[in-house]
Amino acid sequence: MIVYTGTKSRFRQDVMSNDIGGIIASTFKSVTGHGTKQSEINSWVNSLQYMDRVLEDPAIPATAGVAIEYHIPRSSKRIDFILTGTDAQHTATAILVELKQWQQADLTAKDGIVVTTFKGGPQETPHPSYQAWTYKRLLQDYNATVQEEKINLYPCAYLHNYAPDNTITNPFYAQYTKEAPVFLKPDALKLQEFIKRNIRHGDRAGRDGLLYRIDNGKIKPSKNLADSLAGMLRGNQEFVMVDDQKIVYETALAQARQAATGQKHVLIVEGGPGTGKSVVAINLLVALTNKDMLAHYVTRTSAPRLVYAAKLAGTLSRTRIDNMFRSSETFHQAQANEYDCLIVDEAHRLKKKSGWVDSKGENQIKELINASKLSIFFIDEDQKVTLKDIGDKEEIRRWAKKHAAIVTELKLESQFRCNGSDGYLAWLDYALGIAKASANDTLDTGDYDFRVLDDPAQLHALIRQKNTSNKARVVAGYCWPWLSKKDPRLKDIVIGAYQAAWNLTQDGQTWIIQPASVSEVGCIHTCQGLELDYVGVIVGPDLIVRAGEVLTAPGARAGSDRSIHGWKALAKKDPAAAKLRLDAIIKNTYRTLMTRGLKGCYVHFTDEETARHFKALLAPAPAAQAAPAAAALKVLSRIEEEVAAALKFTAYLPVFSLQAACGNLGRGMAVEPLGWIKCPPGLKPDHNMFAAQVAGRSMEPRLQDGDYCVFRANPGGSRQNKLVLVQHSAIADPDTGGSYTVKKYTSKKKYAPDGAWQHEEIILQPLNPAYSPIVIPNAEDEEFMVVAEVVGKCV
C-alpha cells in the first residue's frame, strides 16, 4: 500500500504548494480509512522539504517515480521515501530512504541499536541504516516482482538535522552503514550524488511503473531464503524430529497442500513439557517456506520467537530470520487467508484482545484462523500462567467452526525433557497438588536429578557449576519487586545472605541464552517455551504447604506482576471462581519453571515446611551416589564470587567450566570466572592455573564425578601418562557430551630416517575399565589441543 505516489516533477510541485502535509494526510485517510496525528503531518512537511532540495539537481530525471509512506505487505514496516527509475544499464532500480529528524544519539552495546530522545525521553531504537537495510531484505525475501525482475534496491538513511559525530557513524555500526549509507546534516550533496549514480533514467507511468509492479507483486518467500533456512536445520541436532513428532509434521504438510486448494484447515497439537512442540513448529516453518508457501512462526510472548530466531540464524542475517517470527498481536487487521500457514507455538498463552491496553481486535484465536489457510496451534492447557491466557482446545474449535474449517487434533506424548522421565512429570503434578493421586508419590532421583536445597546461594553456585554449555539458569516465582530495573545497583531477590537481581533489561527476552545471565534470575516470561540442561527454581511465598496441602497465595506476588493483574477485583466478584483460576495459575507457573531442565532441577523453597514436604516425597539417594555429591557440594560452598585483587593467583584460583576453558582459555582469550576458590595446600598458584569441575565416572577411582580439580594451562614438556584436558572435534565424550575430555594421555610416535618424529596416534585412556579409550589419529592437525594438565584436587 502506497500513501502518496507521483513523479519527481509532481512531488516538487506539491512541495512548492506549501501543502505537501495536507496532500499526504488526505491521501493517507482515503487509503487507510483513518486519519493520522498532527505530529506525523509536521514530520512529513519538515523532512520532505529537505528531500525536495536534494532532488533539485536536473540530472535526477523529472520522470523518476516518487512514493511516500509505502506499507510493506504482511508487515508493520513503512518506507518513508522511495525513488524509482533505471540505472545506466537500464535495470529497474529503487532507492529506499529512511528519513529522521534526530539531532543526537548515543551508542549502545547492542547490535544495530542506538539510544535517542523521543517525546517520552531516551529510548532504545534501531539504527536508521539498520532500518533501511531491513526494508531491502523484506522486499528481496518476500516480493516476487523484486525477485523475478532482479530489481536493484539501494537503501539509505537521511538525518537532515544531525551534525556529524562519532555515534551514528561509529565503526560499531559499520555492518549496516555499509549496506545502507547514512547521510547527515552537511551531506545533502553526497545524497544527491548517491541518487544520480544509481538512477540515470526515469520510471514508466501507470501499471508499467516500478512502484505499481512492486506494490502489486505476489508475496512469496524467495528461493534463496528457503534454501538458506533448510541448510541451517541440516545437522542441527536440536531440531531433529523423532517418533510422534514426525507424524505431526507430515500431517501438517499434507493439510497445507489441501488448504491451498481453498478449504480452510485448523490443526490442534496437544503436548506437555518436553514433547517437542517447538521442534516440530520450527521444522514446519522451514519446510513450508521451502515449498513457496508464506508461513510464519507465531507466539504471544517474544522470548520463544527471539531465542529460536537466534538459534536458527547461523550465517543468515538476523533480520531475514526475524521477519518470519511474528507476534500474535499483529493479525487483527489481516485479510482473510493472507497467509498459507500460521504456526502458533505456546497457543495456551494467546489472549483475547491485542495491544498494550488490550484495545485492538476481537480475539487472537479468531484473527489467526481468519488470516491463514492453515492454522496450527501447539498447546498445553496446563501452562496457562496469567489471567489473560485464553488458549484452550474448546476455544480453538469454536472459532474454527465459525470459519467452516476442518479441525484435526493430534497429541505429542514422547518425553524428551526431564531425562525422558514421564514419572517425574506425574510426580511433580502430585507434589504441586495439581493431581490428587499418582503412582509416582515418591521420586527416584536416580532417574532425574532433582534436589531440594536449603540455601539459595548454594543452589545458584550449583547452577553456575552446571553451566558447562550455557544451558543452566536460575528462575523464580514473581514474588520480589523489580527494583534493579530503575537502579542497577540494587538487588531484587534477597533471602538471608543471598542477594540476586532479576534479568537485565538490556538482555530482553533473549536472557536465557546470554552467557552472563547465569548470575541473574529469570522468571516465567523469559523461559516459558524454552529449555535448559539444568534449572534452579526459587519458590516464593506464593506457594506453600500446610498439613500436607499445597496452598497458593496471590497476595504474596510482587505488585508489579502483571500476570495476575486485577485478581482482587476478580476475587471480590466471584471468590470461588477466582480461587480456582489463581490456584491453577500459580501452580502452573511453578510446574512450567520446574520442567525447563533436560537433565536436572534444583529447588529452594522460601518456606521451611514446604521444603520438608518436598524432601519427604523424594526416594533416598543410593549411598554410592550420595558421598561424591556431598563432597562436591562441600567444595562448592567454598567458592567465592569475588576476592580481593591481591589474593588472586596468590591464594585463590579462578573457577571455570571445562567448556569455557576449552573454548576460550585454550585459545589465549579472556574468560570470565564463575568464582574463586582457595588453592589447595602443596600447590603454588600462578596465572596459568585454574580450577574446574569434572563430570562422569571415566576417571574413577582417582577422580570422582563432580570433583573440582586444579589445572595448569599450556603445559610444557612431555605429557606422556599425565592426566590432561584435551579438545578435538573427533572427541564425543560420554561424560561431558562435548568435544573435550579429561583423560590419561599416551601417544605413539613414528620416526623418519633423519630422526624427526610425529604422532602416529594419541590415545586418551580412562582409568575406569568400564569406559573405552578415545583414539585420535592424525593428531598433528590444528584442531587437536592439550588445553591443560591436572595438577591437583580441591578437597
Side-chain angles (χ1 to χ4, degrees), residues 425-729:
L425 297 178
W427 172 85
L428 184 60
D429 283 347
Y430 172 72
L432 289 171
I434 295 170
K436 296 300 180 187
S438 170
N440 302 84
D441 55 356
T442 58
L443 178 67
D444 183 352
T445 54
D447 294 333
Y448 182 66
D449 188 5
F450 183 92
R451 308 183 205 177
V452 177
L453 294 120
D454 294 329
D455 182 357
Q458 193 178 58
L459 178 145
H460 212 136
L462 189 56
I463 286 296
R464 285 193 186 94
Q465 168 236 308
K466 291 291 186 181
N467 193 41
T468 55
S469 303
N470 195 36
K471 296 194 76 173
R473 292 294 182 275
V474 176
V475 295
Y478 208 157
C479 298
W480 293 268
W482 195 0
L483 305 174
S484 64
K485 186 175 184 179
K486 292 185 177 179
D487 187 349
R489 296 171 299 177
L490 298 176
K491 298 296 183 183
D492 305 303
I493 302 167
V494 179
I495 305 169
Y498 173 74
Q499 297 184 347
W502 287 116
N503 47 275
L504 293 174
T505 52
Q506 69 189 49
D507 290 335
Q509 296 296 303
T510 59
W511 167 83
I512 204 167
I513 58 173
Q514 300 299 325
S517 68
V518 70
S519 297
E520 302 154 9
V521 178
C523 67
I524 187 68
H525 307 300
T526 48
C527 72
Q528 189 170 22
L530 304 168
E531 68 179 24
L532 299 158
D533 282 345
Y534 294 91
V535 65
V537 181
I538 298 175
V539 177
D542 58 340
L543 186 139
I544 59 174
V545 175
R546 292 293 179 267
E549 183 182 359
V550 181
L551 306 173
T552 56
R557 288 280 185 99
S560 53
D561 177 22
R562 303 292 299 176
S563 62
I564 57 171
H565 179 69
W567 74 271
K568 290 181 180 178
L570 184 66
K572 190 174 182 180
K573 181 180 179 182
D574 189 341
K579 185 178 187 305
L580 285 173
R581 285 189 67 187
L582 292 164
D583 190 67
I585 284 171
I586 293 172
K587 289 177 179 178
N588 286 348
T589 297
Y590 285 114
R591 180 183 190 268
T592 301
L593 295 178
M594 293 163 75
T595 53
R596 297 306 91 194
L598 207 65
K599 300 176 180 178
C601 173
Y602 310 135
V603 186
H604 169 76
F605 296 93
T606 56
D607 178 72
E608 291 184 10
E609 186 173 339
T610 308
R612 289 195 299 271
H613 169 80
F614 273 78
K615 287 178 183 177
L617 296 177
L618 301 180
Q625 294 179 18
L633 283 174
K634 183 179 176 183
V635 174
L636 192 60
S637 66
R638 300 204 305 269
I639 296 176
E640 305 285 346
E641 192 169 334
E642 188 56 83
V643 295
L647 297 177
K648 293 178 179 179
F649 300 105
T650 57
Y652 283 79
L653 297 174
V655 180
F656 301 125
S657 69
L658 290 181
Q659 185 190 39
C662 291
N664 295 333
L665 196 69
R667 290 171 171 77
M669 298 165 63
V671 189
E672 190 67 28
L674 299 173
W676 296 82
I677 192 166
K678 205 161 192 178
C679 185
L683 291 176
K684 185 178 180 181
D686 61 47
H687 280 76
N688 281 327
M689 292 169 67
F690 64 93
Q693 188 180 41
V694 298
R697 302 180 57 199
S698 65
M699 298 306 288
E700 290 179 350
R702 185 165 171 185
L703 302 180
Q704 302 288 333
D705 180 25
D707 276 354
Y708 279 82
C709 296
V710 178
F711 294 84
R712 177 175 282 112
N714 309 311
S718 173
R719 301 150 180 168
Q720 195 74 356
N721 295 320
K722 291 182 177 179
L723 300 192
V724 293
L725 170 60
V726 171
Q727 183 175 35
H728 189 269
S729 60

Side-chain angles (χ1 to χ4, degrees), residues 279 310 327 398 416 437 486 537 728 786:
V279 170
S327 166
R398 184 169 74 87
F416 301 99
K486 292 185 177 179
V537 181
H728 189 269
V786 176

Side-chain angles (χ1 to χ4, degrees), residues 12 21 81 214 410 417 440 484 514 540:
R12 298 206 65 216
F81 195 95
I214 289 176
L410 296 174
R417 205 177 288 158
N440 302 84
S484 64
Q514 300 299 325

Side-chain angles (χ1 to χ4, degrees), residues 16 34 51 65 82 116 144 176 270 272 324 331 357 390 403 432 435 445 599 612 663 667 674 701 711 737 757 787 792:
M16 188 64 71
H34 58 83
M51 282 305 302
I82 303 178
T116 193
Y176 305 114
E270 185 180 9
M324 308 180 74
F331 294 92
V357 291
I390 66 163
H403 285 81
L432 289 171
T445 54
K599 300 176 180 178
R612 289 195 299 271
R667 290 171 171 77
L674 299 173
F711 294 84
W757 62 271
V787 178

Side-chain angles (χ1 to χ4, degrees), residues 394-408:
E394 186 52 44
E395 185 75 355
I396 296 169
R397 292 187 199 111
R398 184 169 74 87
W399 286 110
K401 183 178 180 180
K402 285 180 179 289
H403 285 81
I406 296 173
V407 178
T408 304

